């Protein structure tokens, strides 16, 4: 018996809306989980996903991808690769797996909400595949990372990190909780897909996969490619939702969802992937800088996607163009000098050759952020390791929970925004973070940054108290990934004091 | 004596640091405590005879060196820029 072609049955098979008789529509789709924005059901039913797939084809494709990824992993004896990998790449792997494994796995919950509470049958269908994707992404990444555990206890954090109060984890968790885990199915569909997956994740995995291949880490590259293709498919839930909202008088709401979620994810992407791209990727394998990547793929390509959907570019677009050249450089200094608060072994990545690359990609870097590194470098050259760690803690943004930073050195530009509310001062690293807070203060005001907790008595006064609070026993506190040997590139001997 | 955290960005540094001072400290004390903790760590020593001043972040005018934090009505966790005069 000949099988029907997918296009002959797909539309019929996905028409799964029905008229409930044992429960009301409101009980089936409560507003807090399934906001319809006053748009009638028959309009939501026009949701048309651009990429269609059947369950049969989905399973076949996923099986093939898994076979490919696991085969490459087995064939390439990853453990040997890891032993020989540079501290740069080890730091990047530790950072990637510790931040991404659980985030992917948690995303299954968000897609599960879209699957259950999406108003459009086509959306629910796509979200079902998205749920399965995210479970797979969590599992495959933690499995690949797990192999390293016998060589390096740092990889325990691939599983542990999400359950800690480490400041970087608080930052990422706060952002993902905001856009994905505390929103109704419709809003989460727009925010997660547009603000993270279509703008950043999809592109990040392409770039990281290419870097991994250049570094000879072919199993990591294959695994990332297998994830990226899933992301490209399920990220397409957001676009039809935005179109329906725009065409039915809810453009303002759609714009706000995109503007909030994009900014929240940009800050995470800047700090984590920005450091990964411009500092942790071994110099000989670096090509595009974060700034170049952002200009081409995000400001260019994603910007055009946003406009094609009928939305305006986010209001902070011009500020973003400045931020892509500054924010992550400041964060990299903080990550290195406060390295004990990291669970991995941070890389300075400011040898003379690396500084030359940074100056070429970011003209003026030596006169700005490079000035702070000059001081750190001199202290290491003089053996004053204790002076490479500042005594006072940094100020943390009450939205993105990263350091409140500006431009350093000769072009010094201090940046801080604040809101006073109910007797408490909230600090922000930029105007968009403050704007998000002010849109809905009641949503955000109860959260305390790690620094708020240090000064309200939640955390004890000693450094050990602080590190233990973040889940970091002594062996789990970051040290320089090169044991300061990167300083060897500076050839002028330094006279002892 | 009361512990009084304040956010300071010393000229040249990449971001704000939380400096713990006393509410009876003068602005000159705050400048000294901040530079003591950051000069030679993240900021290169200033040239001799440099005079450091402090201002509320975003303000034009410097704060008087002799006024106390309490006297200047500066709140806990207020943000100050500390910069070289001239």
């Amino acid at each position: 018996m000949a099988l029907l072609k997918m296009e002959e049955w797909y539309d019929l098979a996905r028409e799964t809306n029905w008229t409930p008789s044992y429960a009301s529509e409101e009980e089936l789709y409560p507003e807090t989980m399934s906001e319809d924005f006053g748009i009638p059901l028959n309009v939501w039913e026009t949701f048309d996903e651009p990429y269609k797939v059947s369950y049969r084809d989905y399973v076949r494709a996923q099986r093939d991808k898994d076979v490919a990824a696991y085969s490459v992993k087995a064939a390439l004896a990853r453990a040997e690769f890891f032993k020989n990998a540079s501290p740069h790449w080890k730091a990047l792997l530790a950072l990637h797996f510790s931040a991404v494994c659980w985030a992917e796995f948690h995303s299954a919950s968000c897609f599960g909400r879209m699957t259950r509470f999406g108003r459009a049958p086509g959306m629910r269908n796509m979200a079902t595949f998205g749920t399965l994707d995210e479970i797979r992404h969590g599992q495959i990444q933690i499995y690949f990372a797990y192999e390293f555990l016998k060589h390096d206890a740092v990889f325990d954090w691939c599983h542990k990190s999400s359950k800690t109060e480490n400041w970087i984890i608080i930052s990422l968790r706060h952002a993902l909780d905001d856009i994905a885990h505390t929103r109704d199915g419709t809003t989460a569909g727009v925010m997660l897909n547009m603000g993270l997956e279509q703008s950043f994740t999809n592109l990040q995995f392409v770039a990281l996969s290419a870097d991994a291949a250049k570094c000879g880490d072919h199993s990591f590259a294959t695994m990332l490619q297998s994830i990226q293709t899933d992301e490209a498919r399920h990220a397409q839930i957001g676009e039809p939702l935005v179109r329906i909202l725009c065409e039915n008088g809810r453009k303002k709401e759609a714009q706000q969802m995109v503007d909030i979620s994009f900014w929240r994810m940009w800050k995470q992407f800047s700090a984590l992937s920005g450091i990964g791209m411009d500092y942790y990727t071994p110099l000989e394998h670096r090509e595009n800088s974060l700034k170049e990547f952002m200009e081409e793929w995000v400001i260019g390509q994603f910007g055009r996607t946003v406009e094609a959907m009928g939305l305006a570019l986010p209001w902070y677009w011009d500020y973003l163009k400045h931020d892509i050249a500054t924010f992550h450089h400041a964060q990299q200094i903080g990550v290195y000098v406060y390295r004990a608060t990291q669970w991995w072994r941070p890389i300075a990545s400011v040898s003379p050759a690396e500084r030359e690359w940074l100056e070429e990609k970011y003209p003026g870097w030596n006169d700005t952020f490079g000035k702070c590194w000059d001081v750190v470098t001199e202290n290491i050259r003089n053996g004053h390791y204790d002076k490479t760690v500042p005594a006072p803690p940094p100020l943390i943004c009450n939205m993105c929970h990263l350091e409140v930073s500006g431009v350093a050195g000769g072009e010094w530009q201090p940046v801080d925004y604040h809101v006073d509310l109910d007797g408490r001062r909230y600090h922000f690293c930029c105007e968009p973070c403050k704007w998000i807070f002010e849109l809905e203060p009641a949503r955000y005001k109860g959260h305390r940054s790690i620094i708020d907790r240090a000064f309200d008595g939640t955390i004890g006064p000693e450094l050990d108290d602080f590190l233990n609070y973040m889940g970091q026993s002594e062996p789990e506190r970051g040290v320089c990934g090169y044991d300061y040997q990167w300083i060897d590139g500076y050839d002028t001997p330094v006279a002892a004091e | 004596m009361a512990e009084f955290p304040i956010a300071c960005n010393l000229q040249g540094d990449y971001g704000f640091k939380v400096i713990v001072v006393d509410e009876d400290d003068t602005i000159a004390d705050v400048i000294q405590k901040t530079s003591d903790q950051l000069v030679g760590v993240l900021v290169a020593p200033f040239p001799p005879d440099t005079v450091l001043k402090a201002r509320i972040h975003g303000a034009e005018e410097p704060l008087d060196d002799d006024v106390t934090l309490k006297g200047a009505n500066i709140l806990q966790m207020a943000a100050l820029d500390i910069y070289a005069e001239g």
Side-chain angles (χ1 to χ4, degrees):
Chain A
M1 188 175 72
L3 288 173
L4 291 173
K5 292 177 182 168
M6 189 175 81
E7 56 267 28
E8 294 174 312
W9 58 260
Y10 186 88
D11 286 343
L12 177 65
R14 71 169 176 168
E15 292 305 321
T16 53
N17 271 0
W18 73 99
T19 305
S21 54
Y22 294 103
S24 68
E25 192 78 17
E26 292 72 28
E27 286 171 317
L28 266 181
Y29 293 104
E31 191 179 308
T32 50
M33 301 296 274
S34 183
E35 173 67 71
D36 67 2
F37 295 93
I39 298 170
L41 189 57
N42 65 321
V43 175
W44 288 113
E45 287 173 342
T46 64
F47 178 104
D48 190 29
E49 61 276 32
Y51 185 97
K52 296 177 172 62
V53 64
S54 68
Y55 185 69
R56 176 197 294 264
D57 291 340
Y58 174 82
V59 171
R60 184 180 296 134
Q62 300 306 90
R63 184 191 58 206
D64 291 348
K65 282 192 274 189
D66 268 2
V67 167
Y70 286 96
S71 301
V72 171
K73 175 178 180 293
L76 291 180
R78 262 184 89 61
E80 289 305 312
F81 173 83
F82 186 78
K83 279 182 190 169
N84 298 324
S86 70
H88 276 76
W89 195 248
K90 286 177 181 173
L92 190 143
L93 287 174
L95 179 55
H96 171 87
F97 281 122
S98 309
V100 173
C101 290
W102 60 267
E104 295 264 29
F105 200 68
H106 290 186
S107 288
S109 154
C110 180
F111 274 96
R113 194 174 332 114
M114 291 183 229
T115 302
R116 166 61 182 85
F117 294 103
R119 303 311 299 260
M123 173 185 171
R124 295 198 297 268
N125 199 37
M126 288 297 287
T128 303
F129 295 131
T131 309
L132 295 171
D133 288 341
E134 300 296 5
I135 292 170
R136 173 176 173 270
H137 298 175
Q139 289 177 338
I140 191 171
Q141 295 198 75
I142 209 158
Y143 181 73
F144 272 56
Y146 182 71
E147 183 171 324
F148 300 142
L149 192 52
K150 58 181 176 282
H151 301 288
D152 192 339
V154 161
F155 287 87
D156 189 33
W157 278 68
C158 302
H159 189 262
K160 171 181 174 175
S161 61
S162 75
K163 301 162 191 70
T164 73
E165 297 298 318
N166 175 278
W167 70 281
I168 289 178
I169 297 303
I170 291 173
S171 170
L172 182 55
R173 201 167 52 210
H174 189 278
L176 291 171
D177 282 356
D178 189 13
I179 71 159
H181 302 306
T182 57
R183 306 276 183 176
D184 69 275
T186 309
T187 307
V190 174
M191 287 185 140
L192 183 64
N193 290 165
M194 298 301 300
L196 175 58
E197 293 176 325
Q198 200 162 104
S199 48
F200 294 117
T201 315
N202 188 9
L203 301 175
Q204 181 201 4
F205 277 57
V206 173
L208 188 55
S209 173
D211 284 345
K214 280 182 280 184
C215 290
D217 195 348
H218 296 292
S219 54
F220 189 45
T222 309
M223 183 204 74
L224 291 168
Q225 284 162 15
S226 88
I227 291 172
Q228 183 272 329
T229 48
D230 291 348
E231 299 284 342
R233 171 176 28 75
H234 69 231
Q236 296 186 47
I237 291 174
E239 200 169 321
L241 289 177
V242 169
R243 288 190 192 281
I244 289 172
L245 289 165
C246 288
E247 289 165 4
N248 292 276
R250 295 295 186 175
K251 181 176 173 179
K252 184 183 165 195
E253 288 82 351
Q255 182 80 53
Q256 193 165 291
M257 290 175 205
V258 172
D259 291 1
I260 292 172
S261 55
F262 178 90
W263 191 259
R264 299 240 45 195
M265 287 300 111
W266 154 243
K267 283 290 160 184
Q268 296 301 315
F269 186 79
S270 174
L272 300 175
S273 301
I275 288 174
M277 292 175 77
D278 284 352
Y279 292 91
Y280 285 12
T281 301
L283 182 61
E284 62 272 25
H285 300 302
R286 269 184 231 162
E287 284 182 17
N288 289 338
S289 65
L290 173 77
K291 180 170 176 283
E292 290 166 334
F293 175 85
M294 285 294 294
E295 284 171 343
E296 180 177 353
W297 291 97
V298 180
I299 291 176
Q301 186 166 304
F302 180 70
R304 287 190 291 277
T305 302
V306 166
E307 289 181 308
M309 286 189 301
L311 295 177
L313 291 173
W315 62 269
Y316 46 71
W317 214 239
D318 285 340
Y319 178 75
L320 173 68
K321 292 173 185 172
H322 164 78
D323 215 38
I324 61 175
T326 54
F327 188 70
H328 69 296
H329 294 307
Q331 301 302 311
Q332 160 68 357
I333 301 171
V335 164
Y336 184 77
V337 297
Y338 294 110
R339 51 196 170 277
T341 68
Q342 271 62 260
W343 59 90
W344 72 94
R345 288 182 280 283
I347 302 297
S349 209
V350 288
S351 66
E354 288 166 320
R355 289 182 68 136
E356 199 175 310
W357 185 89
L358 287 160
E359 181 66 28
E360 180 196 327
K361 297 294 184 182
Y362 299 92
W365 185 93
N366 275 318
D367 286 332
T368 53
F369 301 102
K371 291 293 182 190
C372 290
W373 284 111
D374 289 343
V375 182
V376 174
T377 303
E378 285 306 296
N379 280 327
I380 296 173
R381 292 172 75 190
N382 285 309
H384 299 155
Y385 304 115
D386 56 321
K387 289 179 79 176
T388 64
V389 181
L395 183 65
I396 296 291
C397 174
N398 283 110
M399 181 53 64
C400 70
H401 294 274
L402 296 167
E403 288 195 48
V404 176
S405 61
V407 176
E411 303 295 322
W412 182 61
Q413 198 180 330
V415 173
D416 178 62
Y417 294 82
H418 74 264
V419 168
D420 289 325
L421 182 66
D422 300 337
R424 181 178 162 194
R425 174 155 291 194
Y426 297 82
H427 286 277
F428 304 97
C429 68
C430 58
E431 200 173 350
C433 279
K434 176 173 178 267
W435 170 74
I436 294 167
F437 183 91
E438 287 183 312
L439 284 173
E440 222 176 333
R443 177 178 178 81
Y444 301 109
K445 70 176 185 179
H447 192 275
R448 292 166 302 146
S449 75
I450 192 78
I451 295 302
D452 294 329
R453 298 177 208 186
F455 287 100
D456 71 7
T458 304
I459 305 174
E462 304 300 328
L463 180 60
D464 265 357
D465 298 329
F466 191 79
L467 294 167
N468 287 334
Y469 176 82
M470 292 198 297
Q472 294 173 261
S473 64
E474 204 162 331
E476 295 170 288
R477 297 169 189 175
V479 294
C480 175
Y482 275 91
D483 195 22
Y484 306 115
Q485 296 305 308
W486 57 271
I487 217 71
D488 291 350
Y490 291 85
D491 53 2
T492 311
V494 180
E497 283 190 345
Chain B
M1 299 288 281
E3 192 177 79
F4 199 92
I6 197 157
C8 296
N9 194 332
L10 178 63
Q11 182 169 338
D13 195 3
Y14 70 90
F16 278 87
K17 303 292 185 289
V18 181
I19 309 289
V20 179
V21 294
D22 189 277
E23 63 181 349
D24 292 322
D25 277 347
T26 62
I27 294 300
D29 294 330
V30 174
I31 292 170
Q32 190 64 50
K33 287 181 178 179
T34 302
S35 58
D36 284 350
Q37 294 184 69
L38 294 172
V39 169
V41 178
L42 284 165
V43 177
F46 291 95
D49 304 326
T50 300
V51 176
L52 294 176
K53 304 293 285 184
R55 66 182 172 223
I56 303 274
H57 176 71
E60 293 283 326
E61 294 300 314
L63 294 159
D64 185 345
D65 284 351
D66 299 326
V67 70
T68 63
L69 292 167
K70 197 196 289 183
N73 290 321
I74 290 174
L75 303 171
Q76 283 200 12
M77 295 302 281
L80 299 184
D81 301 338
I82 297 175
Y83 61 99
E85 190 176 49

